[in-house]
Amino acid sequence: MSLTQIGPVYSGRASAVRAGEVVLSLVASGLVGMQGWTGVRRLQHPYDRSLQLGLDRLAALCVRAGRDAPVGVQDLVGVWCAERPVDSWPLEFDADAQVDGERLLIGGEPSEFCLEWAVSAQDVVSEVHEGTLVKEIKKMAAQLGRPELYARWRLFVTEHAVLGPDEFMAAKNAVLDVPQWATWMEESYGRVTAEVTLGGRVAVCGGCGQWVAPRADGRVRCGVWRCARRADLPEPVWVEAQGARRLEPELVRFVALPGAPELDLARRLAARGARVVLYPKLDALDLVAVWPNGFSVGVDVKDWRSPYLLARRIKTFPTWGTDDPHAYSRGFLVVPHDRLRANRSYVKILTRRSEALRAQPQIEVVSDRDLVASCPDLGTLGEVVCGP
């Protein structure tokens, strides 16, 4: 194998850590690229380019460390990714990355650890579709002076994974005074193809609410990590595939799945009497909630396994004047309770690693349970709205 086009030679601890992270991100991204939405395909050429690049860099580092390198992509995927924990690879990582015992493939599917590292690598297809569509919707909503349109679109796609023909037509006609809305629906939902159906129907997961493609053996089991590890996962709901539309895979991954905990938190707060505005100012925050007693909070919800990777994704919270309709008294970064319970170092690593949190020490990291409990329940029902 030629090692002449591997990339720069790294020296020093910091450079070695960067080199390790590049390899891990490339390999993880390549595995997810092979997986798509239906599971890792049978090994065949051509491989995802990220996987080959990761293999090349890993091989170079193995040679440098005097270790045996993977013998091709099949060895990398079938042995290194499926059987060997990442901390046994000849790579260096920061302790806060918490790679000990982590594998990239579990049961032939990318692990949650793998999925999060893959997100940090560029996904060209998803960037072109999801990124471009989201930017277009935000731009048009701003030009029309209707910022709530973006929130309304995002809420809709989060709640609707599969639409029958009549439902899809109703969705396209839901905002008749904005002709672009129908185009947004067309670009958000693709036709249900044969490979995602079973017996003329498409399955919708009873846990996350997203469509699930059957595996090669005909089994239907959601690949979303939270669903995959649930012993009490509800049976899927089946929808007739004839004429149906399903949410585009990249929107499932980057909009609907992250949107689920945001919407869940909003509804739990509203049940205690809060008025919750979703995605104010074109997603400057996930939500702003006003308690029944008038206290207001600005919230971003982040459901990540790795605080080390999440720290790179946190943006500075916006500051708005007291006369702004979305002004808030305190800001909270909310992480699901089970993430904090499973990792006692989560908040410490997150606050240590995040430049945004260090710049705004008044922003508090709390669990979803704690935030909901802090909202006084006066026995009145609140509401979840999309603006203004």
Side-chain angles (χ1 to χ4, degrees):
M1 178 182 296
S2 173
L3 305 179
T4 58
Q5 298 181 350
I6 299 305
V9 175
Y10 296 97
S11 61
R13 168 66 178 164
S15 293
V17 168
R18 287 197 298 272
E21 292 188 2
V22 167
V23 170
L24 179 56
S25 237
L26 285 169
V27 174
S29 183
L31 293 173
V32 173
M34 290 175 66
Q35 179 219 25
W37 189 247
T38 60
V40 175
R41 298 191 300 269
R42 185 177 303 168
L43 291 174
Q44 57 185 358
H45 290 288
Y47 302 113
D48 185 282
R49 184 170 183 271
S50 295
L51 198 60
Q52 186 64 57
L53 289 173
L55 172 62
D56 291 345
R57 288 177 180 247
L58 176 57
L61 293 172
C62 285
V63 170
R64 195 170 301 151
R67 298 271 299 274
D68 290 337
V71 184
V73 173
Q74 292 197 28
D75 186 34
L76 173 64
V77 174
V79 178
W80 286 64
C81 296
E83 299 178 4
R84 298 183 182 179
V86 172
D87 56 308
S88 71
W89 297 17
L91 304 175
E92 290 194 49
F93 295 99
D94 192 289
D96 284 349
Q98 299 180 312
V99 304
D100 291 358
E102 297 284 1
R103 286 185 292 146
L104 293 177
L105 290 177
I106 297 178
E109 297 288 335
S111 64
E112 188 177 35
F113 174 83
C114 175
L115 292 171
E116 289 193 353
W117 276 97
V119 169
S120 65
Q122 185 179 18
D123 183 333
V124 177
V125 174
S126 297
E127 176 67 20
V128 168
H129 185 92
E130 181 265 345
T132 301
L133 179 59
V134 168
K135 289 176 183 177
E136 174 61 27
I137 295 173
K138 286 183 176 181
K139 178 182 177 181
M140 186 56 62
Q143 289 179 352
L144 294 172
R146 300 274 301 276
E148 79 281 359
L149 288 173
Y150 168 76
R152 186 170 174 180
W153 168 81
R154 185 158 181 167
L155 175 62
F156 185 88
V157 299
T158 297
E159 292 187 301
H160 299 87
V162 179
L163 297 173
D166 292 340
E167 294 172 315
F168 183 61
M169 184 61 66
K172 290 177 60 177
N173 294 328
V175 189
L176 292 175
D177 61 329
V178 180
Q180 296 87 348
W181 180 271
T183 301
W184 299 342
M185 289 292 108
E186 288 280 1
E187 294 189 19
S188 300
Y189 291 87
R191 296 188 180 278
V192 173
T193 53
E195 60 266 23
V196 302
T197 65
L198 188 65
R201 299 183 298 170
V202 59
V204 177
C205 176
C208 66
Q210 297 306 313
W211 57 269
V212 185
R215 299 183 180 183
D217 60 5
R219 294 178 58 209
V220 175
R221 179 74 178 181
C222 184
V224 173
W225 193 249
R226 283 186 178 276
C227 298
R229 66 184 181 182
R230 281 184 61 177
D232 61 342
L233 185 67
E235 290 295 316
V237 176
W238 292 90
V239 180
E240 289 297 325
Q242 183 67 35
R245 299 286 187 115
R246 56 99 177 99
L247 189 61
E248 294 287 1
E250 52 270 25
L251 296 180
V252 171
R253 180 180 176 190
F254 292 108
V255 178
L257 289 176
E262 299 161 359
L263 184 55
D264 175 69
L265 177 62
R267 287 173 172 163
R268 288 158 63 193
L269 291 173
R272 295 178 69 93
R275 183 180 189 272
V276 184
V277 179
L278 290 172
Y279 312 115
K281 295 183 183 289
L282 300 173
D283 205 15
L285 288 171
D286 289 333
L287 58 95
V288 169
V290 181
W291 290 177
N293 61 7
F295 184 74
S296 58
V297 298
V299 177
D300 256 355
V301 183
K302 299 297 183 186
D303 185 10
W304 281 65
R305 174 191 177 99
S306 169
Y308 181 74
L309 293 178
L310 172 57
R312 305 175 182 183
R313 296 267 171 167
I314 298 172
K315 298 179 180 178
T316 303
F317 273 52
T319 54
W320 299 319
T322 55
D323 58 340
D324 191 286
H326 301 307
Y328 57 93
S329 302
R330 289 190 64 185
F332 293 95
L333 183 76
V334 174
V335 178
H337 171 76
D338 62 341
R339 300 292 192 192
L340 302 185
R341 182 181 58 192
N343 186 349
R344 295 182 181 274
S345 301
Y346 199 107
V347 175
K348 184 181 295 185
I349 293 173
L350 191 60
T351 53
R352 181 166 61 231
R353 290 288 178 173
S354 169
E355 293 184 9
L357 291 177
R358 291 199 304 272
Q360 293 183 307
Q362 74 276 16
I363 304 300
E364 187 176 353
V365 181
V366 300
S367 74
D368 56 333
R369 288 188 183 181
D370 287 343
L371 185 67
V372 171
S374 70
C375 178
D377 189 353
L378 304 182
T380 59
L381 187 64
E383 61 179 344
V384 178
V385 299
C386 291

